[in-house]
Amino acid sequence: MRVHGSCHCGRITYTAEVDPERVSVCHCTDCQMLTGSAYRVSVPAPRESFSLSGHPKTYVKTADSGTKRVHSFCPDCGTPVYSCAIEDPPTYSLRVGCLDERAELPPQRRIWCRSSLPWSVRLDGVPQQAQQ
């Protein structure tokens, strides 16, 4: 599936090919901190299909395992755009919320569930409003 993405202010734009069957929700504490939310929704894009316009700022995070990952975000609006391996990345992990086609990319799996916030997995009973 061809996807088109951008940061909130539009300074960073990109296109890629993704497999909708590979969309995942990550509940790890790093994703919670890096999104400011309860989890992150992402989909991998092969390096060959990823085309970026603009110059994101990067932050290198070292995991407990010692693996280093580059987290890229817009230097103006701060929108997280993607993450990848620090050297010669085979894929880019795109943030589904930044994709124009996000409604067509429902999660297919959840990972790091041991770190999930108990309230984040069941929102059925929370009152809803169409807008603020």
Side-chain angles (χ1 to χ4, degrees):
M1 171 183 194
R2 188 84 172 148
V3 293
H4 307 82
S6 68
C7 64
H8 193 261
C9 72
R11 180 175 179 178
I12 308 290
T13 61
Y14 54 95
T15 59
E17 292 287 333
V18 301
D19 178 353
E21 295 299 315
R22 299 205 51 213
V23 177
S24 64
V25 169
C26 183
H27 291 277
C28 79
T29 54
D30 283 343
C31 284
Q32 291 173 19
M33 290 291 293
L34 290 165
T35 62
S37 187
Y39 49 80
R40 179 188 322 252
V41 183
S42 59
V43 63
R47 174 183 53 219
E48 304 79 34
S49 77
F50 183 63
S51 176
L52 179 71
S53 175
H55 301 284
K57 186 162 176 58
T58 60
Y59 165 71
V60 176
K61 164 69 174 101
T62 303
D64 291 340
S65 66
T67 302
K68 294 178 188 264
R69 288 200 51 87
V70 175
H71 292 267
S72 299
F73 55 95
C74 176
D76 287 343
C77 67
T79 302
V81 179
Y82 66 87
S83 67
C84 62
I86 196 162
E87 291 183 31
D88 199 26
T91 61
Y92 291 85
S93 180
L94 306 182
R95 306 313 180 216
V96 170
C98 296
L99 301 175
D100 295 343
E101 299 81 6
R102 60 187 164 267
E104 301 165 49
L105 294 165
Q108 301 300 308
R109 70 181 184 139
R110 296 186 309 146
I111 59 175
W112 284 98
C113 294
R114 73 177 187 201
S115 303
S116 65
L117 300 174
W119 57 262
S120 71
V121 294
R122 290 217 54 148
L123 298 174
D124 307 10
V126 178
Q128 299 180 30
Q129 293 179 232
Q131 60 189 42
Q132 187 171 2

